DNA sequence: TGACAAATGCAAATAAGTTGCATATAATAA
DNA sequence: TTATTATATGCAACTTATTTGCATTTGTCA
């Protein structure tokens, strides 16, 4: 079991254009911006956070466009959709997604949890005849700072 | 690892009134109805399913009232709020909630998963200084019937 | 460079969930 | 049993997240 922040380990140079073309998606400024946002993010982002990122980079894209982009990326498997019981979705780049999260219920800080033995759990379930495609494992509680 | 349906194992006679009073909540027909709905349910219910149950039982309660009731019950710990990446919340009675779920992505069927070793995973994380209050573990894929 | 499919913007719609306030009802004490 | 009071409910309106339809624009590829 490890706690760390996989988001810090991104290879900063990555060819987003290739990623899009490989998924049969046209390369557009908005799409490159969304991918960039998710690559540099320290935590999974919600749609409004993605929009803020785009604005700061001078990329203008309608909210609806961002929804459509993130849905397309998720359909193609480039991104993953997750939820933290907030009533909205968050997204992370698939390349960063082989881990789980700890969400502080007070300050909202998100820490990654990796190397847990969920894979074994999955194998056991598969034996029951179910085909598991993905799973979601999130922990909620108080981080060190918020326990005092 | 066991797959079963904990929802079938409910003790049908249970004193909902005591449960409410124990949580300092007044006993009302709508609240009894919501608790009854979650007790008899085979799977976690969303708000509209709860409303349908109440209608069928001749209990009339506004949608807003149901939201307020389910929030109160969850605040008091009588029920648990979960999500299956549907963009809405589902609720289950806490007495039934010490397990996880497998959700078929095609037919929507939900099966319980119990006795997995998540508790050990939690202990490991606690050692890192995080205080875990709850977690969410859901598997998504295809059930036996939908694999053909 | 032109054609065509795909992407975007805008407006409007839908769905889930919340809030304010006036009224109704459950709990408690007389 | 009734009166009191805090709590719960109903209704209308609102917010936030997300989707849909359609006209226009923009990548891609020949």
């Amino acid at each position: 079991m490890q706690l760390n922040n996989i988001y810090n380990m991104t290879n900063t140079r990555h060819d987003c254009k290739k990623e899009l073309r490989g998924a049969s998606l046209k390369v557009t400024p908005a799409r490159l911006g969304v991918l960039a946002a998710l690559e540099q993010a320290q935590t999974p982002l919600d749609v409004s956070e993605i929009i803020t990122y785009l604005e700061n980079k001078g990329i203008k894209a309608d909210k609806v466009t961002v929804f459509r982009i993130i849905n397309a990326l998720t359909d193609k498997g480039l991104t993953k959709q997750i939820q933290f019981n907030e009533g909205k979705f968050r997204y992370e780049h698939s390349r960063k997604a082989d881990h789980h999260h700890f969400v502080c219920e007070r300050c909202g800080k998100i820490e990654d949890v990796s190397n847990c033995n969920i894979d074994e759990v999955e194998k056991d379930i598969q034996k029951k005849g179910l085909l598991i495609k993905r799973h979601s494992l999130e922990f909620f509680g108080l981080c060190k700072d918020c326990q005092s």
Side-chain angles (χ1 to χ4, degrees), chain A:
Chain A
M1 186 74 40
Q2 281 184 356
L3 279 176
N4 49 40
N5 204 320
I6 280 171
Y7 293 85
N8 291 326
M9 298 190 271
T10 316
N11 45 339
T12 43
R13 277 289 111 221
H14 193 272
D15 200 349
C16 294
K17 295 185 184 178
K18 255 181 207 158
E19 252 180 328
L20 288 170
R21 296 218 173 88
S24 329
L25 294 173
K26 288 184 178 171
V27 175
T28 67
R31 281 175 175 171
L32 290 173
V34 172
L35 279 177
L38 295 175
E39 287 221 329
Q40 64 76 51
Q42 301 300 112
T43 62
L45 302 182
D46 63 32
V47 167
S48 66
E49 288 167 341
I50 293 173
I51 290 171
T52 301
Y53 177 91
L54 295 178
E55 282 170 355
N56 292 341
K57 294 285 174 183
I59 302 168
K60 69 186 189 64
D62 193 84
K63 169 169 58 83
V64 176
T65 299
V66 175
F67 272 106
R68 282 199 265 232
I69 288 174
I70 203 69
N71 284 342
L73 295 176
T74 302
D75 281 351
K76 299 292 185 175
L78 297 187
T79 57
K80 294 216 188 303
Q81 189 188 50
I82 56 182
Q83 286 177 117
F84 294 149
N85 268 38
E86 300 170 298
K88 67 185 167 187
F89 293 115
R90 288 184 175 272
Y91 301 87
E92 60 187 354
H93 197 290
S94 295
R95 204 181 322 114
K96 294 175 166 187
D98 60 338
H99 63 278
H100 307 93
H101 305 92
F102 174 87
V103 184
C104 179
E105 293 189 320
R106 185 176 302 164
C107 70
K109 186 164 58 199
I110 297 164
E111 296 195 38
D112 299 333
V113 175
S114 53
N115 297 346
C116 76
N117 47 5
I118 270 294
D119 300 330
E120 294 169 30
V121 174
E122 283 205 356
K123 272 182 214 146
D124 286 343
I125 299 178
Q126 304 270 21
K127 285 181 194 152
K128 303 281 179 181
L130 301 169
L131 176 66
I132 297 178
K133 292 185 161 181
R134 62 198 177 83
H135 67 260
S136 146
L137 173 56
E138 321 300 345
F139 299 91
F140 303 91
L142 294 177
C143 69
K144 263 180 190 165
D145 296 340
C146 289
Q147 283 176 46
S148 46

